[in-house]
Amino acid sequence: MTASPPISRSALRLDSLTGVRAIAAFLVFWHHGAEQFEGGISSGMIGVSLFYILSGFVMAWTDRESDTAWLFYRRRFARIYPVYFVAVTVAIAFAVVGGRFEPVDLAAYTLLQSWFPFDEVYFAANAVFWSLSCEVFFYLVFPALRKLTRRLDHMGLWRLGIAAVAVSFAVATVASFFPQSQFLGWAVIVFPPSRLPEFVLGVILGSLMARGWQPRVSLLLAFGLAGVAAVAALVVPYAFSRYAVTLIPFALLVVALASADIDGRRVFTQWGWMVKLGIWSYCFYLVHLMVLNRIEGITVGLGLPPTASVLLALPASVVAAWLLHILVERPGERLLRPKGRRRVDSDEPLPAER
């Protein structure tokens, strides 16, 4: 196996990748905000795909030979579940107060909801929680995947990456021959194995770059292609619109941003406020739909247009995310996370060089 090069502190922070998480979160907000408008269209759910690629990349980049599966699972649990538990509880409380609670909403606590082809299950408690069910599946698979990637040389990693892309396009292609339905939407978008190739592609890219591969990709080109793909997602067939059309452009964007971090080149996703929004992006993702729905109820009662609810919900969601981060996410993770290596998207000070 090719030895990993020493990683500098500036590269380890990967601030560009942390900042771009804010863009991914905003894309999902845009998707749900567009639903407030009659005939509104959006390709914002592609933001979930960007999250999945980023997740795989960071998991591979931070992986160390000394890591065990148990240690990895403990870190992941500390990272996602405490604040997720609180978000689910808040969502269920809103449902109870609003008279919309169903016992199936409790399925959200299990993080298994995406395995069931019924929208009342995979959308239990809050429609955005399904994606965390997929993420947990990726985490369960990751230790076995890393055993495989550690054995592969560069060419083997490239073959696996190409296979992941091919599987994503194959799923979309086969699905395009069937009429759009709730079951098709579940099978293509929500079913965890269907989304695994995006995570695998991120893992392959993170593995390659951790071994020293670093292509010179123009940031302007990478953002341009990602923007074109986001627009294309509005018009391509449904089965291709959630991740297939953006898969390669988003992968290229992640590589370009990681290269910028390694080289110390400046990019707007490294700006302080972008990094902060990226750090809060998980909390933002968890709460934004609840905030949007609450504010919509208020603005409708006041006779205000849908634009008002969206414009008010965006800053309100940021504030709610910040509060959730400082009151729940950060202390919960500190309490449960094993001692040792820090997160690459942490807002805590960098440790001294050893």
Side-chain angles (χ1 to χ4, degrees):
M1 185 184 78
T2 305
S4 299
I7 302 171
S8 68
R9 290 192 304 170
S10 61
L12 186 60
R13 281 293 293 260
L14 296 176
D15 282 346
S16 290
L17 295 189
T18 301
V20 83
R21 289 173 59 87
I23 296 176
F26 175 75
L27 284 170
V28 180
F29 176 88
W30 166 40
H31 174 77
H32 290 123
E35 293 176 348
Q36 307 296 316
F37 301 91
E38 185 176 350
I41 59 172
S42 161
S43 61
M45 282 306 293
I46 59 174
V48 174
S49 183
L50 181 53
F51 275 127
Y52 288 164
I53 297 169
L54 284 166
S55 179
F57 186 99
V58 173
M59 292 301 97
W61 178 258
T62 58
D63 181 66
R64 300 292 181 268
E65 291 283 357
S66 59
D67 285 349
T68 64
W70 177 240
L71 185 62
F72 172 78
Y73 292 146
R74 286 180 62 193
R75 286 202 300 260
R76 291 294 89 202
F77 180 85
R79 172 73 178 93
I80 72 164
Y81 199 75
V83 70
Y84 175 80
F85 179 89
V86 170
V88 173
T89 302
V90 171
I92 288 177
F94 279 134
V96 170
V97 171
R100 294 174 284 98
F101 172 75
E102 298 291 341
V104 73
D105 287 332
L106 298 174
Y109 284 115
T110 70
L111 282 167
L112 296 173
Q113 63 268 40
S114 289
W115 292 90
F116 299 90
F118 313 103
D119 59 359
E120 65 270 23
V121 180
Y122 58 75
F123 285 159
N126 187 305
V128 303
F129 294 160
W130 68 266
S131 65
L132 275 301
S133 180
C134 292
E135 191 79 39
V136 166
F137 172 64
F138 304 159
Y139 295 159
L140 290 174
V141 169
F142 180 74
L145 180 61
R146 286 301 287 151
K147 285 184 179 180
L148 172 62
T149 57
R150 285 170 183 166
R151 296 192 186 104
L152 296 175
D153 59 12
H154 279 64
M155 186 55 66
L157 288 173
W158 276 114
R159 290 193 185 104
L160 184 58
I162 292 169
V165 173
V167 169
S168 281
F169 276 88
V171 169
T173 300
V174 171
S176 66
F177 289 101
F178 295 90
Q180 187 172 332
S181 66
Q182 181 187 123
F183 180 83
L184 182 71
W186 169 78
V188 175
I189 299 168
V190 178
F191 186 47
S194 296
R195 306 305 299 265
L196 182 61
E198 298 153 78
F199 178 79
V200 170
L201 181 59
V203 169
I204 298 303
L205 296 174
S207 299
L208 286 166
M209 294 196 73
R211 294 185 186 188
W213 175 73
Q214 188 183 339
R216 302 299 174 182
V217 181
S218 164
L219 284 166
L220 183 61
L221 174 64
F223 274 107
L225 290 175
V228 169
V231 174
L234 292 168
V235 296
V236 297
Y238 173 79
F240 288 86
S241 64
R242 292 304 194 264
Y243 52 86
V245 71
T246 56
L247 185 59
I248 294 175
F250 279 175
L252 188 67
L253 178 61
V254 169
V255 168
L257 290 172
S259 293
D261 282 326
I262 293 169
D263 291 341
R265 287 179 283 133
R266 298 299 299 168
V267 58
F268 76 95
T269 55
Q270 295 171 348
W271 295 348
W273 62 273
M274 284 290 291
V275 174
K276 283 292 185 184
L277 290 175
I279 290 170
W280 305 338
S281 63
Y282 176 44
C283 292
F284 179 92
Y285 182 83
L286 291 175
V287 303
H288 78 274
L289 187 55
M290 287 186 277
V291 172
L292 189 58
N293 289 337
R294 301 286 83 71
I295 289 182
E296 180 195 10
I298 295 171
T299 55
V300 168
L302 294 174
L304 298 175
T307 308
S309 62
V310 175
L311 292 178
L312 290 171
L314 181 57
S317 296
V318 172
V319 172
W322 169 68
L323 289 172
L324 198 60
H325 171 73
I326 63 172
L327 296 177
V328 180
E329 182 184 24
R330 188 165 59 183
E333 184 174 7
R334 283 175 176 168
L335 178 66
L336 298 176
R337 184 178 175 86
K339 303 301 180 185
R341 182 155 35 90
R342 65 191 295 282
R343 278 172 38 200
V344 297
D345 61 346
S346 173
D347 53 353
E348 298 174 359
L350 283 166
E353 293 261 29
R354 293 183 179 180

